[in-house]
Amino acid sequence: MDVVELMGWLAERGCSVVFKADGERSRGKRWMVIVTGGPLGAESFFRADLASADACLEATLAHLESRGFSPFV
């Protein structure tokens, strides 16, 4: 699964998702992902600031799995 597939899967389930690359940030935290809402709940908020898009994707998938919400189930 890639970032675009995951964003589409989450959006279909009512989540809001932001993936961002920011060249002005420090090297280890140039990528960011935020996921809110949908089946994760109105008060749910996940954010990761990491070194790569792949790292953000992996962190998001791990978080979703820990909440019992995974595209692989």
Side-chain angles (χ1 to χ4, degrees):
M1 172 164 278
D2 66 23
V3 169
V4 174
E5 288 175 312
L6 179 60
M7 290 178 75
W9 185 84
L10 287 166
E12 288 172 2
R13 284 149 184 84
C15 293
S16 296
V17 185
V18 175
F19 268 88
K20 178 183 175 186
D22 189 342
E24 294 181 1
R25 296 177 76 191
S26 65
R27 230 173 241 254
K29 298 192 182 229
R30 287 194 174 156
W31 288 85
M32 177 187 67
V33 59
I34 298 172
V35 181
T36 61
L40 298 176
E43 300 299 316
S44 177
F45 179 85
F46 172 75
R47 177 179 173 159
D49 297 274
L50 300 166
S52 69
D54 286 339
C56 284
L57 177 62
E58 290 176 23
T60 303
L61 289 169
H63 175 74
L64 294 174
E65 189 172 316
S66 76
R67 301 287 307 255
F69 181 57
S70 171
F72 303 117
V73 176

